[in-house]
Amino acid sequence: MDIVVCVKRVPTTDTPIKIAADGKSFDPTGVKFELNAYDEFALEQALRIKEQLNAGSVTVVTLGPKAAEKELRDALARGADKAVLLSTEQWVSDSWACAQALHSWLKTVKCDVVLCGKQAVDADNNQLPSRLAAMLGFGCVTEVAKLTLENGTFTAERDIEGAREVLTCKAPAVLSCNKGLNEPRRASLKGIMAAKAKPYSEVPAQLPEPAMAIVSLTLPPARAAGRILGTGADAVPALIAALRNEAKAL
Amino acid sequence: MSNIVVVAEVRAGKLKRPSLEAVAAGLQLAAQNGGKVIAVAVGSGLDAAGADLQKSGAHQVVLIDAPGFANFSGDAYARIVTEQCKKHAPAAVLMAHTAMGKDLLPRVAAALDAGLVTDVVAVGFQGGKFTAQKPVFAGKATLHVQATRSPFLATLRPNNFEAKSGGPATIEKIAAEAGNLLSVVKEVIAAAQDRVPLQEAKVVVAGGRGLKDPEQFKILEGLAAAFGPGVAAVGASRAVVDAGWRPHREQVGQTGKVVSPTLYFAIGISGAIQHLAGMRTARTIVAINKDADAPIFKVADYGIVGDAFEIVPALTKAIAALTASK
C-alpha cells in the first residue's frame, strides 16, 4: 500500500494567540510550532500499516511554509520514506483552497490510502479528510480511534455522540485519525541520520483564492473576573446561592 | 431563489436537538435574504422526526426514508443530500457540527465545489454575502469570514442558536436507495443510557490531576448524577487523559472537545491555556482547587479554595436535594 500522510505545522497548544498587524492572521513572533497533534497519530498509523504489510511506502506531505521542513524532516526520521512540501507562506485557513492544492498534487502520485489528523489545531476545520475523499472518489472514515487491517479491509471505530460506530472500508480510502488511535513513536538517532538521505522535495502550492475570505481574526472577550466564595465545604451554601440567584444556572 | 437547505440529523429514528438549532440559524438567514428554509432528513423510519421538523419553523420538510439509510453512511448520505441541493439550488446549506455533520457536509461541499465553514457560532448575510464566525485555536481566537463562492455551507456549533417553533411545514417523502457504499457501518455500540454526550450536556463536571487518583473521579460521577438523568457529563483535563485515567472522549480543551455548557465545574484543574480554550465559552464556570493562585480562578465566575474530597461531596448533597425538590 502506498500511503500519503497529510500533515500541518501549527502553533503549539500552550501558545497564547496574538493578532497580527493586518488584523487577519496571528502574529508568529515568539510562537513555537510543532507537528499538529492529530497528524502524529496519522503518521504513526501509516508506519504501522507499512510494517504490518512489510511493503509499500509512506509519503508525508504538507501545505505550509518553508519552515515546515523541520516537521517534515522529523517525520522522515520517524520512518516516512519521502517528504513533499507544497510551499506557501500564507496561513491557510480555507479547506476548499487547501483541498484544491492537495488534490492537484495527489493526482500526480500513486496513492492507495490517505491518512490525516482529524483536524489541524489552528483553524480547527475538521473538513479536509472527507472533502478530499469525495474529490478522489475514495472511501472514508473520519475521526478513527481504532483501526485494524485484514485481507485488504480496514475495520475502524469512531466515537459519535453517545455511541461508538464500527465501520469497514476498503482501499482506496481516506482515514482521519483521532487521539487514542496509537502511541506515536519518536525519532531515533539512527532514524535522524537516515532521514538526511531520504527524498525531500519542495514545489510551490497551487493554491487558489479562498472560498471563505478572512475578514478579521479577533480575540474573544475576556471573561469578567469572578470571585472566590470561600474555603472548604463551608463555602458550598454560598456557591449554591450564587448559582441559583445570580447566575440562574440551577 | 435564495433557499436555505438545512440537513437534519436523525439517529435511531430520533431528531437530534442541534438540528433544530440549525433550522433556527436557517430562519435567521432566510429573514435576511428572503428565502425559504427547507429541512432535509435522510434515514429510516423518519415519521416522528419528520413531525418534529414540521414544527421547527422550517417552511418545507423533505424526508428521504429507506431501510438502506438506517445507519449513517457518509458517501450514501452525501449523494442524496447533494441531489437535494442541486434540486433546490440553495444559497446556503447548514447542518449541526456533530460527528455526522463533520463527516457529511465536507463531502457535499466537495460535490458542489463549494466552500464550507465549520464549527460556526454566528452567521449573517450582509451586502449580498454570507458571513460567519468560528472559533479557531480551540477558541483562543475567532475567525470572521465572508463567502466568495456559492452556495455557502456551514456546520453550526451545538448550543449556540436557539431552537424555534412554527409550522406546520409541508412535508414531502422521496424514494431513494442507498446503493453501493464505500464505507459501511457494521455496528453502533451505544454508551450507557444515562450518559449524556459531553458536547450536548447542560452541565459538565470536569476533573484534573488535583484529584490525585483515577478512582477519585467517582466523586465527580456522583456530582454529575446529582443533577438527574441526562443533564450532566463528566469531563477531564488533558493531563489525566494522557495518564490513562479517563478516555479521550471526555477530554476538554485543545486536542479534546470544546464545550459550551450552561454550567462548568473545573475540579482539581489548574487551568492550562489549552484547557481554558476548551471551556471558556461556558455560561457559568465554577472552580474548585487547593491552590488559590491556580490560573483557573482567573476565568471562573465562582471559586472555592480547598480540598475537592471535602467540597465535592457537600456540593453533591446540596445539588441532589435541589434536583429532588424540582
Side-chain angles (χ1 to χ4, degrees), chain A residues 179-227:
Chain A
K179 188 170 172 174
L181 177 60
N182 54 44
E183 201 59 56
R185 72 194 68 184
R186 299 284 152 223
S188 65
L189 191 58
K190 200 176 143 207
I192 294 168
M193 298 310 288
K196 292 181 178 159
K198 287 180 177 174
Y200 179 90
S201 57
E202 187 184 315
V203 279
Q206 302 292 313
L207 198 61
E209 289 297 310
M212 296 290 170
I214 298 178
V215 177
S216 63
L217 183 70
T218 59
L219 295 180
R223 286 188 79 99
R227 52 180 214 274

Side-chain angles (χ1 to χ4, degrees), chain A residues 57-80:
Chain A
S57 66
V58 175
T59 301
V60 53
V61 62
T62 193
L63 184 71
K66 284 187 191 296
E69 179 171 353
K70 178 176 151 278
E71 283 71 31
L72 291 176
R73 293 277 180 204
D74 179 45
L76 292 173
R78 295 192 209 191

Side-chain angles (χ1 to χ4, degrees), chain B residues 98-179:
Chain B
T98 58
M100 190 189 287
K102 287 184 269 184
D103 187 283
L104 177 59
L105 226 53
R107 301 175 192 251
V108 175
L112 299 174
D113 196 18
L116 165 63
V117 54
T118 55
D119 199 15
V120 165
V121 294
V123 286
F125 184 74
Q126 286 162 354
K129 288 194 166 149
F130 287 98
T131 61
Q133 292 178 29
K134 73 166 266 132
V136 291
F137 301 100
K140 289 178 205 166
T142 306
L143 191 64
H144 305 246
V145 297
Q146 187 177 61
T148 65
R149 297 175 67 84
S150 184
F152 163 81
L153 275 68
T155 60
L156 311 172
R157 176 177 288 194
N159 289 333
N160 260 278
F161 297 87
E162 202 168 329
K164 298 262 187 298
S165 58
T170 60
I171 194 157
E172 181 188 5
K173 290 188 183 181
I174 290 178
E177 281 187 29

Side-chain angles (χ1 to χ4, degrees), chain A residues 11-17 19 24 26 37-38 91 93-96 100 118-119 121-128 130-135 137-143 157-170 178-180 209-236 239-240 242-244 246-250, chain B residues 9 11 16 72 97-100 102-104 106-107 109-111 113-119 134-149 152-153 182-191 197 200 227 238 241-242 248-249 251 254-256 262-263 265 273-274 279-286 288 292 297-306 310-311 314-315 318-319 322 326:
Chain A
T12 59
T13 52
D14 56 6
T15 305
I17 296 300
I19 309 299
K24 294 183 174 189
F26 65 94
Y38 296 110
W91 177 49
S93 65
D94 182 60
S95 294
W96 176 80
Q100 304 301 314
K118 69 163 182 159
Q119 72 194 64
V121 300
D122 54 357
D124 285 328
N125 284 325
N126 199 329
Q127 63 163 295
L128 184 83
S130 58
R131 182 189 273 273
L132 211 46
M135 292 170 82
F138 284 17
C140 178
V141 184
T142 51
E143 305 201 342
E157 295 186 16
R158 67 191 214 106
D159 288 321
I160 61 171
E161 294 79 10
R164 180 165 267 223
E165 271 181 355
V166 185
L167 300 97
T168 57
C169 183
K170 280 187 165 55
N178 205 346
K179 188 170 172 174
E209 289 297 310
M212 296 290 170
I214 298 178
V215 177
S216 63
L217 183 70
T218 59
L219 295 180
R223 286 188 79 99
R227 52 180 214 274
I228 304 273
L229 298 172
T231 308
D234 294 344
V236 167
L239 174 61
I240 296 285
L243 290 177
R244 290 197 76 179
E246 238 175 62
K248 313 268 183 230
L250 289 177
Chain B
E9 174 170 348
R11 295 257 188 198
K16 300 296 276 183
F72 171 64
H97 191 70
T98 58
M100 190 189 287
K102 287 184 269 184
D103 187 283
L104 177 59
R107 301 175 192 251
D113 196 18
L116 165 63
V117 54
T118 55
D119 199 15
K134 73 166 266 132
V136 291
F137 301 100
K140 289 178 205 166
T142 306
L143 191 64
H144 305 246
V145 297
Q146 187 177 61
T148 65
R149 297 175 67 84
F152 163 81
L153 275 68
L182 297 175
S183 57
V184 183
V185 172
K186 293 289 176 188
E187 201 182 348
V188 179
I189 306 161
E200 293 174 19
F227 284 91
R238 183 167 78 189
V241 170
D242 286 351
H248 175 243
R249 65 166 183 274
Q251 186 185 325
Q254 213 169 5
T255 75
T262 310
L263 183 55
F265 290 92
I273 183 165
Q274 56 80 22
M279 43 66 87
R280 56 171 298 136
T281 54
R283 200 181 305 161
T284 302
I285 298 172
V286 175
I288 298 172
F297 287 119
K298 291 212 171 66
V299 299
D301 299 285
Y302 306 111
I304 300 182
V305 180
E310 184 202 321
I311 297 163
L315 184 57
I319 299 281
L322 266 178
K326 272 182 194 164

